[in-house]
Amino acid sequence: MQSKVLLIYTGGTIGMNRNPLTGALEPFDFEHLLQNVPEFKQFDTEIATYQFQPPIDSSDMSPRLWTELSHVIADNYHLYDGFVVLHGTDTMAFTASALSYMLENLTKPVIFTGSQLPIGQLRTDGKENLITSIEIAAAKDEQGRALVPEVGIYFNSRLLRGNRTTKQSADEFNAFESFNYPHLVDAGVNITYHRERILQPQWDKPLTPHFRLDNNVIIFSLFPGIREDLIRHIIHTPNLKAIVMRTFGSGNAPQSPWLLQALREGCRHGKVIVNISQCMQGRVEMGRYDTGFRLQEAGVISGRDSTVESAVTKLMFLQSHYDDPDQVRYWMNRSIRGEITV
């Protein structure tokens, strides 16, 4: 039976054209994008399309648009075997992370892709990214089940778990990497599915979509010389519920008494403070050095090997479900969509 894939165009470089007057890249009609991929006619897959109007620059992506995207997938879920989302690269890892939490018990692929060069340019990486993403979204096993029933990012011949992924380059075709989790799929002459790495849902249960997010969260990075008044201002911001604090190495911070006191006060007043390493690879181990242990004593929780993108969107998701910060802390230390190693 022929697979059906819904191709959702949100915007991004893949669907842009260069303005001959200004030289700037700007969106063009989705039909023109499709005309640049005549290979579509060779697919043994039925491809339908959905376009966001107007197309969204990925810098303008927001929780409201994540909710809209979740609705598009949930509303069409029973009609298609898989979904491919064309998205700008700058915030793709944030969107893929958010969608992984919003689409609970996903039994079909939701593959994000895009390109570093517009699909109409001669050297574009967009064609291969798009074509292989559709193949993966349509792929089924011997039992007719999706081979990749999770949210992924496909770029430069590899499929990565969406909530493990970070954009690593603004210029190279290998724009994304999942530093703390291996590739789900590698595409060369053949497409190799690493099934032991892929999430397995409860096949007999339906998708449970979620449409609420609470974005009362902020990210800040520690650095030598960071000012006490600015940190205290952030921690005591009204309505702020959670902080993703990017620390040094395996989760270390300056031993300044004022910093530990400010963090302690924030935790005592219900703020959820999550410790994420500034390193792209590795994990937070707060018991490894005394500096990390002091943070733990102050009430800061470990983000383990989470990406920043995954941590901030997971907090948005959990805060929309739980008013109790202790419940948010509990679930931040557990893997709910394969986002951390526990």
Side-chain angles (χ1 to χ4, degrees), residues 109-121:
V110 175
I111 310 299
F112 283 80
T113 195
S115 65
Q116 295 285 64
L117 288 173
I119 205 161
Q121 290 193 12

Side-chain angles (χ1 to χ4, degrees), residues 9 11-17 28 33 37 86-89 113-120 124-127 129-130:
Y9 177 57
T13 300
I14 193 168
M16 288 188 171
N17 209 357
F28 67 108
L33 186 149
V37 193
L86 300 180
H87 192 290
T89 58
T113 195
S115 65
Q116 295 285 64
L117 288 173
I119 205 161
T124 184
D125 53 327
K127 273 193 182 183
N129 287 346
L130 176 54

Side-chain angles (χ1 to χ4, degrees), residues 4 35 43 59 92 120 169 187 189 234 262 264 310 322 337:
K4 296 180 179 180
Q35 287 169 18
F43 269 114
S59 299
M92 188 185 292
S169 175
V189 173
I234 291 170
R264 194 175 290 112
S310 179
Y322 302 107
R337 303 285 191 272

Side-chain angles (χ1 to χ4, degrees), residues 59-187:
S59 299
D60 293 322
M61 196 51 70
S62 68
R64 179 185 64 81
L65 293 165
W66 294 338
T67 297
E68 185 178 339
L69 182 55
S70 292
H71 272 293
V72 171
I73 292 169
D75 292 348
N76 290 280
Y77 196 72
H78 65 291
L79 297 174
Y80 298 95
D81 300 293
F83 302 85
V84 172
V85 182
L86 300 180
H87 192 290
T89 58
D90 286 349
T91 58
M92 188 185 292
F94 284 97
T95 303
S97 294
L99 266 287
S100 76
Y101 300 120
M102 298 173 82
L103 300 173
E104 183 180 348
N105 199 48
L106 190 62
T107 58
K108 298 177 181 181
V110 175
I111 310 299
F112 283 80
T113 195
S115 65
Q116 295 285 64
L117 288 173
I119 205 161
Q121 290 193 12
L122 188 62
R123 292 185 54 250
T124 184
D125 53 327
K127 273 193 182 183
E128 193 278 322
N129 287 346
L130 176 54
I131 289 167
T132 308
S133 292
I134 292 171
E135 282 201 45
I136 292 170
K140 297 178 181 178
D141 65 14
E142 304 79 12
Q143 296 172 274
R145 293 171 171 173
L147 279 174
V148 188
E150 59 173 289
V151 177
I153 290 179
Y154 181 83
F155 236 85
N156 195 46
S157 303
R158 56 211 186 183
L159 180 72
L160 315 171
R161 176 166 295 162
N163 58 34
R164 291 281 196 157
T165 307
T166 293
K167 186 176 181 182
Q168 67 169 353
S169 175
D171 300 316
E172 297 178 3
F173 287 155
N174 62 331
F176 293 92
E177 186 55 271
S178 56
F179 292 96
N180 291 322
Y181 197 79
H183 305 161
L184 304 181
V185 177
D186 287 298

Side-chain angles (χ1 to χ4, degrees), residues 17-27:
N17 209 357
R18 195 170 296 280
N19 185 310
L21 298 177
T22 66
L25 292 174
E26 56 188 29

